[in-house]
Amino acid sequence: MKQYLDLCRRIVEQGHWIENERTGKRCLTVINADLEYQVGENQFPLITTRKSYWKAAIAEIIGYIRGYDNAADFRKLGTKTWDANANLNEVWLNNPYRKGEDDMGRVYGVQGRDWKTPEGKSIDQLTKIVENLKSGNDDRGEILTFYNPGEFHMGCLRPCMHTHNFSLLGDTLYLTSYQRSCDVPLGLNFNQIQVFVFLALMAQITGNKAGIAYHKIVNAHIYEDQLELMRDVQLKREPFDPPKLNINPDIKTLKDLETWVTMDDFEVVGYQHHEPIQYPFSV
């Protein structure tokens, strides 16, 4: 929690005003932020200075793991995070690759589970990583990337958190996640939950111990219409101790994650929080 608040203060106090072309809004921006999450010690990085809807964040990462390309599938899991980008983005609505209502195109998990080669074949990046880690093998390339410039035009949004690099030291699994852009008041809480949960799940299904998750952000920003709420409300609140996350131990394989897992398989214990803050969302 401290590192989250420190980043927010850094942006408020040291950020530069940047005009964002996609949203048409100004934002206070800093370059480079490094966060760490103690997954092995189960220090769940859930924001306590406002209420955080953690189930939606976990549902989204499960949807990525499953390779979903439709906002309706994400809603069934328990999150509406893709509704706006799939259905309210004017550029995407006029894109010839859009297949209809709720279609997201070839973004995020689609690339992770179905990366197309120049020969037209499909590469399932995640399955390769899971199989290697289950056998205790780290080839220094246990990388899941969603960033495919050759297909940006075929999706509603370029990936923000675009690459996850797993590393195995003995029987302890680590994760380094890279993010090109981060809406700190809204997106970061989701993103840090997902980095934590992704490492915890991957360790569990590959039979390894969870170590530390490293989260590297390039462009961290607060939009102009979010600044007052961050500066005058959230940053004036005292944080509570971090809660714990319990994951159903019956989740043992990638197939389990692909088929029957729901949000009922996750439980947060000891979550104290302040009142919610309704930050504006930029499509």
Side-chain angles (χ1 to χ4, degrees):
M1 187 68 223
K2 181 180 182 300
Q3 59 186 342
Y4 173 87
L5 295 175
D6 286 347
L7 175 57
C8 293
R9 291 190 185 94
R10 178 185 160 203
I11 297 172
V12 170
E13 296 170 2
Q14 303 175 25
H16 292 261
W17 283 109
I18 300 294
E19 295 281 350
N20 182 256
E21 182 178 351
R22 181 179 66 85
T23 62
K25 297 181 181 181
R26 292 201 311 163
C27 48
L28 273 177
T29 304
V30 299
I31 301 300
N32 191 55
D34 291 285
L35 299 91
E36 296 182 7
Y37 315 126
Q38 300 293 332
V39 183
E41 298 178 11
N42 200 3
Q43 295 180 12
F44 192 41
L46 194 55
I47 297 303
T48 63
T49 48
R50 67 173 174 86
K51 185 177 182 180
S52 176
Y53 300 94
W54 57 270
K55 285 188 177 182
I58 296 178
E60 189 174 57
I61 191 67
I62 296 297
Y64 295 164
I65 288 171
R66 293 179 177 178
Y68 284 166
D69 66 355
N70 193 285
D73 290 325
F74 281 91
R75 287 197 299 273
K76 291 175 186 176
L77 266 177
T79 181
K80 298 180 179 180
T81 51
W82 281 96
D83 286 6
N85 281 310
N87 298 307
L88 300 178
N89 182 333
E90 287 296 330
V91 174
W92 178 237
L93 293 178
N94 295 316
N95 190 309
Y97 285 98
R98 186 173 185 264
K99 293 180 287 188
E101 184 177 359
D102 286 325
D103 180 48
M104 297 157 47
R106 291 189 57 77
V107 297
Y108 282 87
V110 176
Q111 300 292 348
R113 303 306 306 271
D114 183 29
W115 183 287
K116 297 300 185 184
T117 71
E119 299 82 12
K121 296 180 180 179
S122 174
I123 295 176
D124 185 339
Q125 300 178 65
L126 185 58
T127 293
K128 173 262 184 185
I129 296 168
V130 170
E131 290 177 352
N132 276 6
L133 297 178
K134 283 177 66 176
S135 65
N137 178 38
D138 177 357
D139 67 5
R140 301 180 185 174
E142 307 303 344
I143 297 172
L144 177 73
T145 185
F146 305 142
Y147 205 80
N148 186 351
E151 294 191 347
F152 284 165
H153 63 292
M154 300 171 69
C156 64
L157 183 70
R158 286 183 301 165
C160 295
M161 189 158 60
H162 57 82
T163 300
H164 302 278
N165 192 157
F166 292 93
S167 302
L168 194 59
L169 294 179
D171 62 352
T172 302
L173 187 63
Y174 297 82
L175 172 60
T176 306
S177 295
Y178 300 88
Q179 187 163 357
R180 66 170 179 86
S181 174
C182 184
D183 175 341
V184 171
L186 279 176
L188 182 51
N189 188 208
F190 259 55
N191 299 141
Q192 58 188 15
I193 289 171
Q194 291 168 347
V195 172
F196 182 101
V197 170
F198 200 13
L199 176 55
L201 287 172
M202 288 291 282
Q204 184 164 311
I205 68 173
T206 61
N208 292 291
K209 299 175 184 176
I212 300 171
Y214 301 96
H215 186 180
K216 302 182 73 67
I217 303 168
V218 176
N219 184 303
H221 50 266
I222 297 173
Y223 282 100
E224 189 170 18
D225 56 7
Q226 300 170 331
L227 180 58
E228 184 177 353
L229 285 171
M230 173 59 73
R231 181 190 59 216
D232 300 337
V233 180
Q234 188 164 1
L235 282 176
K236 293 186 181 299
R237 295 174 173 178
E238 287 296 320
F240 296 103
D241 291 334
K244 304 290 185 183
L245 176 69
N246 293 333
I247 299 176
N248 185 346
D250 290 334
I251 302 173
K252 297 178 180 178
T253 66
L254 179 56
K255 186 175 181 180
D256 291 340
L257 292 173
E258 293 169 334
T259 54
W260 57 263
V261 170
T262 70
M263 295 311 100
D264 292 337
D265 294 296
F266 302 88
E267 178 190 25
V268 170
V269 179
Y271 183 34
Q272 293 179 277
H273 57 80
H274 291 268
E275 291 298 310
I277 300 176
Q278 298 298 322
Y279 282 110
F281 174 70
S282 298
V283 178

